[in-house]
Amino acid sequence: MLLLLTLPRATWAQRRTAPAKAQDTPPKAQRVELLPGAGQLIGGDFNGRQIRKLIGNVGFKQGDTFLYCDSAYQYLDQNAIEAFSNVRIIQNDTVTITGDRGYYDGEKRTARITGNVVLRDPRITLTTQVLDYDLNRKLAYYSTGGHLTDPENTLDSQKGYYNTQTQVFSFRTNVKLVTKDYTITNDTLQYNTQSKVAYFFGPTRIVGKQGNIYAEKGEYNTVTRVSDFKRNAKIETPNYLLGGDQLVYDEARQYGVARGNVSMTSKKDNVVIRGDVGRYWRATGRAKVHGSPVMRSITSRDTLYLAADTLVNVESRENDPGIVYAYRKVRILRGADLRGRADSLTYNRRDSVIYLNRNPILWNEKNQLTADSMEVRMRRQKIDQMRLYANSFIVGQDTLLDFNQVKGRNMVAYFQDSKLKRVDVLGNAESVYYALEGDTAVTGVNKAVSATMALRFADSKLQTITFVTNPDASFIPPHELKEEDQKLKGFRWLIDQKPPRRAVLGKHFAPPVKAKPKVKAKPSKAKTTKPAAPKTRSAPRPAPKKAAPLAQKPAAKPAPRTKP
């Protein structure tokens, strides 16, 4: 015991908080102090080195750090200790590290603990096989795999760094964080054990009972369950996939906001909505997209595009396709034969019915349809019917650019293979149709009024008109045709409002404009002087023949045929 009391005593120097400048000389580390109570001490020189071997209840101290073990070698010339069995390091009465074996460098104030290593502080417990601990920087790190637990979460990784002062963990390679709601996997993750916020970098997947999340950068608060994801972020539920450049999701409220290149995909019926900003309320099954949004519905037959200022999709129950609401500046595109616009629209995806409200306009091939409101009914992924309500009007342009017109209170248009086959005009029916001869000359105008009409088409061209209930029809030859006979009241030709394809697809679906290849200038050839050719005068061209007036053309049977 007298030998133990005569051993040198020293305290451990604490590292400065600010990094030392290059020209500064670091303070010399103090000697490690052996605590009283060791069972046996054997001292001497071994291979030219001063070593003390201590056995039984061994303890050391350096400043606010204590080291305990069953036996140890103390290297006096290096101010180092090699500890064996039940090794325990305690710093500031807050951090405790235990293991089977340890090596402590008193000069560098670093320790390496191996074999069943456990690090504990008031908030977490870390287990690994090899742990390096820098007491100056208060940084522990491992590279052989570690398992972290706190009262609510567990985390595993191949490599890890833990700052015991800031209580922030940094994990790398095969990282897996398990919370009560999610399992997070990635290769680089930072976890604050005080705030319980996880920060991740690189491809990250979060799997939970309510859905899955993917992102390449962001953070997740394991307490509030609010996540903020960036870089190709996506939320995947059983029915939907919502993504964007940035995605904030509140699991408690089941509410998410996506910004930048937003995309919402319905897995059940291959419907995609894209825009600049998207909001999703999972509890009510409601999603809202604005910022030049466009909906694309792909079918085996054709693709429907729907654009507006705002698109809203609502589901009422599980496995329900839902209803899409579009309002302000609605534009429609389906294949090459249907385009339209309206102020607002409702698309019932359960019944495949599109409702257009407030002065809608539809163009089907060369026909223009207008009314106060409309319905487009789909059947087997094709247009089956169009229903026009109040102030219904159909205008079609023939080969001579004359306008054939039909108007009435209501109309029902029937299609076959997306081509117009029949139109029933119900109430206050009126028509103006031009009769042509060989699609090159007008032979007259059929003008009729009836309570109801039935029009039949072939290749979208009118073939017959049937008048029902009190018809009044007349045929006007060209020389008797007056201006008021050529247009029905309320006639409007709105072809200039027909939305171009790119205007409907917008920036989210329209293919990028290909730059025209630059034409390389051909190298100029040396000019050679040629003898001037003699000037010749060309013969005068014959004057064009004047077309005969319409009244002098032979009469032809009026078309289309009308049936009383």
Side-chain angles (χ1 to χ4, degrees), residues 262-264 272-276 289 291-296 508-509:
V262 175
S263 176
M264 188 185 73
V272 179
I273 298 178
R274 295 179 182 175
D276 294 333
V289 181
S292 305
V294 181
M295 185 197 78
R296 181 184 67 186
H508 301 291
F509 285 104

Side-chain angles (χ1 to χ4, degrees), residues 270-512:
N270 205 2
V271 171
V272 179
I273 298 178
R274 295 179 182 175
D276 294 333
V277 180
R279 305 179 187 275
Y280 178 57
W281 295 264
R282 177 177 172 81
T284 59
R286 184 170 178 262
K288 180 179 180 181
V289 181
H290 52 93
S292 305
V294 181
M295 185 197 78
R296 181 184 67 186
S297 179
I298 300 176
T299 65
S300 58
R301 303 286 184 179
D302 218 331
T303 302
L304 171 67
Y305 291 93
L306 173 62
D309 285 353
T310 303
L311 294 177
V312 178
N313 186 80
V314 178
E315 291 181 336
S316 61
R317 58 185 182 275
E318 291 292 333
N319 299 321
D320 175 21
I323 299 176
V324 175
Y325 300 94
Y327 45 92
R328 288 190 290 273
K329 298 181 181 179
V330 177
R331 301 173 299 281
I332 302 173
L333 170 65
R334 182 180 174 90
D337 54 2
L338 179 65
R339 297 187 195 183
R341 65 189 314 139
D343 181 73
S344 61
L345 175 149
T346 302
Y347 178 23
N348 190 331
R349 288 159 56 198
R350 309 167 194 158
D351 303 328
S352 297
V353 179
I354 300 175
Y355 303 89
L356 297 99
N357 306 307
R358 296 189 62 180
N359 303 320
I361 311 171
L362 288 177
W363 291 270
N364 176 253
E365 295 186 343
K366 294 184 179 181
N367 299 304
Q368 173 188 286
L369 296 83
T370 59
D372 289 354
S373 61
M374 295 185 193
E375 292 180 11
V376 180
R377 296 175 176 264
M378 315 293 292
R379 185 180 182 186
R380 296 177 182 176
Q381 302 174 350
K382 293 183 180 181
I383 300 177
D384 182 58
Q385 292 183 22
M386 287 187 188
R387 296 175 177 258
L388 285 65
Y389 299 106
N391 296 314
S392 305
F393 212 122
I394 297 180
V395 181
Q397 204 169 26
D398 61 20
T399 55
L400 296 182
L401 304 182
D402 292 316
F403 297 105
N404 298 316
Q405 307 152 52
V406 177
K407 64 177 292 189
R409 186 183 304 116
N410 302 319
M411 293 186 189
V412 181
Y414 300 91
F415 292 78
Q416 184 176 353
D417 293 329
S418 298
K419 292 185 178 294
L420 185 62
K421 299 300 292 183
R422 190 177 94 234
V423 175
D424 292 340
V425 186
L426 309 174
N428 301 330
E430 297 182 52
S431 68
V432 168
Y433 264 86
Y434 287 79
L436 303 181
E437 179 185 8
D439 293 338
T440 58
V442 176
T443 60
V445 172
N446 290 299
K447 191 170 184 180
V449 177
S450 178
T452 58
M453 291 184 187
L455 297 79
R456 285 174 172 79
F457 296 78
D459 295 329
S460 297
K461 294 182 180 180
L462 181 65
Q463 297 297 307
T464 63
I465 302 177
T466 302
F467 307 103
V468 184
T469 312
N470 301 324
D472 183 8
S474 61
F475 178 77
I476 305 173
H479 62 280
E480 298 180 6
L481 190 61
K482 299 178 182 179
E483 185 175 354
E484 60 267 20
D485 296 327
Q486 300 179 24
K487 295 179 181 178
L488 296 175
K489 185 178 179 180
F491 168 84
R492 295 180 302 162
W493 182 240
L494 306 171
I495 194 64
D496 57 325
Q497 298 185 24
K498 184 177 181 180
R501 180 180 179 87
R502 181 170 287 274
V504 180
L505 301 182
K507 61 183 179 181
H508 301 291
F509 285 104

Side-chain angles (χ1 to χ4, degrees), residues 69-179:
C69 59
D70 289 347
S71 61
Y73 290 148
Q74 184 180 19
Y75 299 94
L76 300 179
D77 59 341
Q78 292 182 335
N79 198 21
I81 296 170
E82 190 172 0
F84 306 94
S85 184
N86 295 317
V87 178
R88 185 169 81 254
I89 296 178
I90 302 174
Q91 186 179 31
N92 289 330
D93 294 326
T94 55
V95 178
T96 301
I97 305 174
T98 62
D100 297 337
R101 186 170 178 171
Y103 181 83
Y104 180 77
D105 188 330
E107 295 294 325
K108 298 180 180 179
R109 289 176 54 81
T110 60
R112 164 168 280 202
I113 313 299
T114 60
N116 302 312
V117 182
V118 179
L119 182 150
R120 293 185 178 90
D121 72 4
R123 295 180 180 273
I124 61 96
T125 299
L126 170 68
T127 59
T128 183
Q129 288 300 311
V130 180
L131 181 72
D132 291 290
Y133 186 43
D134 188 326
L135 287 89
N136 287 326
R137 300 165 60 191
K138 297 185 179 180
L139 179 65
Y141 50 96
Y142 60 88
S143 60
T144 57
H147 178 74
L148 170 71
T149 61
D150 65 17
E152 298 167 352
N153 310 299
T154 64
L155 196 149
D156 295 273
S157 68
Q158 184 65 31
K159 299 178 182 179
Y161 304 83
Y162 179 48
N163 190 316
T164 61
Q165 187 172 14
T166 62
Q167 295 182 329
V168 174
F169 260 104
S170 297
F171 304 95
R172 294 182 181 177
T173 312
N174 300 326
V175 182
K176 182 178 181 181
L177 171 62
V178 180
T179 74

